[in-house]
Amino acid sequence: PPHRRPAAPPLRSPAHPPPSLATRSYIDGKDMFEAFYKKDLSKRLLLGKSASIDAEKSMICKLKAECGSAFTSKLEGMFKDVDLSRDVMASFRESPHARQAAAADVELSVHVLTQGYWPTYPLVELSLPREILELQEVFANYYTSKHNGRRLQWHPCLGHCVLKANFPLGKKELSVSLLQTMVLLLFNDAEAMGYAEIAKATAIDEKELKLTLQSLACGKVRVLRKEPKGRDVDESDAFHVDREFKHQLFRIKVNSIQMRETEQENEQTAERVFQDRQYQIDAAIVRIMKARKSLTHSLLISELFQQLKFPIKPPDLKKRIESLIDREYLERDPGSAATYRYLA
């Protein structure tokens, strides 16, 4: 029998465009999403790991259209801080203070961040090299002379450096983290050092130090040699400069080994969000009761579900109501235990 031409596939109706962030929302706990998104965005901005700043800003615009300007105000503030930091550094390099920095033969670049916009970073005590401490002091003097009353709090663990290294087989530039820099600078004064000596000289946390030494002596780019050989770092190990080091590139990126986010770290981020939610719940309860003066438990819970924009369980709401009663914002009606009254 003759072959029949197969029927053409039906055309898709243009009335149903593919879903996008602007038309469909997949996020229930927006504050939880914001906390984790802000933490990851901060690393990309500060460490220069973003593939495209335009793509980052485009995502912020989509979030703003979907969730409102209040949701993205801190995220937008992070980009403003990065832009303002460029202006601050340009002004610093034209100031008299820059001559002191130039004398150290080290080029300094600083990000000045507004504390309320960025995630909370723990303060870490390190034994920074003298050259870096002197530059920090020079910049701090310049900044406080321009902005009286402001206080700078340094977070060196977020820093990264480019080191000029003179190997016997040629000069190289090493792009490394600040922790890697602290370890490598020790070998300007010593050909070999043991783990205990490095730990004492840098005061780096044990887990971070082992990962840092592992990245320098056991990774793909090995500028140090470890004895005895192996993939793991032990406290009995000794480290030497690799005098036979060679690489086809002039500027080499020495990747640092990042500690994976543990469940405990994720729980801490979630816990901070839950703490913020408690304040929002308390404020919503007081706002409703101030307007209504008296409400039954079921009606109060119903209004809270309408006003609160994140998922919440009735037992959690009941705990916040009990807390407000204990703090004498509310009281139970003497004639009905299921009715609450607002206390002015």
Side-chain angles (χ1 to χ4, degrees):
H3 293 285
R4 294 183 179 179
R5 177 179 292 180
L11 297 175
R12 291 185 64 184
S13 170
H16 300 285
S20 66
L21 184 61
T23 57
R24 294 184 64 183
S25 175
Y26 298 93
I27 303 170
D28 290 328
K30 293 190 293 185
D31 51 353
M32 187 72 72
F33 171 82
E34 181 196 14
F36 282 94
Y37 186 84
K38 184 166 68 171
K39 184 175 67 171
D40 293 336
L41 176 63
S42 68
K43 292 179 181 178
R44 296 196 297 271
L45 293 179
L46 297 178
L47 302 179
K49 292 186 176 181
S50 178
S52 169
I53 293 298
D54 291 337
E56 299 280 12
K57 291 183 177 180
S58 174
M59 181 63 183
I60 300 300
C61 289
K62 292 179 180 179
L63 287 171
K64 188 174 184 178
E66 176 68 25
C67 305
S69 58
F71 179 77
T72 58
S73 60
K74 292 183 179 179
L75 300 176
E76 291 174 315
M78 294 166 68
F79 285 97
K80 290 179 182 177
D81 278 352
V82 172
D83 293 337
L84 286 173
S85 293
R86 294 195 191 99
D87 297 337
V88 169
M89 289 310 303
S91 175
F92 170 71
R93 293 188 178 104
E94 295 175 358
S95 70
H97 295 81
R99 299 193 194 102
Q100 295 175 262
D105 196 27
V106 179
E107 186 177 347
L108 176 71
S109 181
V110 178
H111 282 106
V112 182
L113 312 179
T114 305
Q115 191 170 10
Y117 292 155
W118 297 78
T120 302
Y121 300 109
L123 289 175
V124 179
E125 294 294 331
L126 300 173
S127 297
L128 292 173
R130 175 182 52 81
E131 299 89 346
I132 295 179
L133 289 174
E134 290 176 354
L135 286 174
Q136 284 186 356
E137 185 68 23
V138 170
F139 181 82
N141 292 336
Y142 160 77
Y143 190 80
T144 52
S145 68
K146 294 288 184 180
H147 305 279
N148 188 25
R150 294 188 184 180
R151 185 172 64 92
L152 291 177
Q153 195 172 64
W154 295 91
H155 291 275
C157 286
L158 299 172
H160 54 95
C161 309
V162 176
L163 294 181
K164 295 180 180 179
N166 296 320
F167 292 100
L169 299 181
K171 296 181 178 181
K172 300 292 182 183
E173 287 188 355
L174 305 177
S175 178
V176 290
S177 71
L178 184 59
L179 298 185
Q180 291 171 323
T181 299
M182 293 172 60
V183 171
L184 290 175
L185 288 180
L186 295 176
F187 290 90
N188 282 336
D189 303 318
E191 186 68 23
M193 295 188 75
Y195 175 89
E197 293 177 271
I198 297 173
K200 183 178 179 180
T202 60
I204 300 174
D205 176 74
E206 180 183 349
K207 290 183 180 179
E208 287 282 5
L209 179 57
K210 287 186 175 181
L211 289 175
T212 301
L213 289 169
Q214 192 177 14
S215 68
L216 295 171
C218 310
K220 189 175 181 181
V221 179
R222 302 182 181 184
V223 294
L224 298 180
R225 288 189 294 109
K226 185 177 79 71
E227 293 182 1
K229 294 182 179 180
R231 297 189 62 180
D232 297 325
V233 174
D234 295 321
E235 296 182 5
S236 59
D237 291 343
F239 298 87
H240 308 257
V241 176
D242 187 358
R243 292 199 159 275
E244 298 179 359
F245 177 80
K246 59 181 180 180
H247 200 280
Q248 60 183 356
L249 298 178
F250 176 68
R251 174 171 288 194
I252 307 162
K253 169 67 175 175
V254 183
N255 291 321
S256 57
I257 301 174
Q258 300 290 336
M259 284 193 297
R260 292 183 178 179
E261 286 186 334
T262 63
E263 291 184 4
Q264 183 181 3
E265 290 174 332
N266 290 334
E267 287 175 1
Q268 288 174 353
T269 302
E271 183 63 28
R272 286 195 294 269
V273 175
F274 290 141
Q275 291 292 335
D276 292 339
R277 286 181 177 180
Q278 289 186 1
Y279 300 130
Q280 296 180 50
I281 295 170
D282 289 355
I285 294 172
V286 171
R287 186 168 56 248
I288 292 170
M289 292 303 300
K290 188 175 182 179
R292 297 299 185 89
K293 304 303 181 185
S294 178
L295 268 181
T296 63
H297 178 81
S298 59
L299 288 176
L300 177 57
I301 296 296
S302 177
E303 291 217 20
L304 287 171
F305 275 123
Q306 292 177 10
Q307 290 196 16
L308 297 174
K309 303 300 182 183
F310 48 83
I312 195 71
K313 298 177 181 178
D316 296 328
L317 294 177
K318 186 175 181 181
K319 289 180 182 178
R320 301 317 307 162
I321 294 172
E322 294 292 342
S323 174
L324 290 172
I325 291 174
D326 292 339
R327 288 179 283 163
E328 298 183 351
Y329 285 91
L330 309 177
E331 68 174 0
R332 284 188 172 86
D333 192 315
S336 173
T339 300
Y340 306 113
R341 294 194 309 190
Y342 175 71
L343 293 176

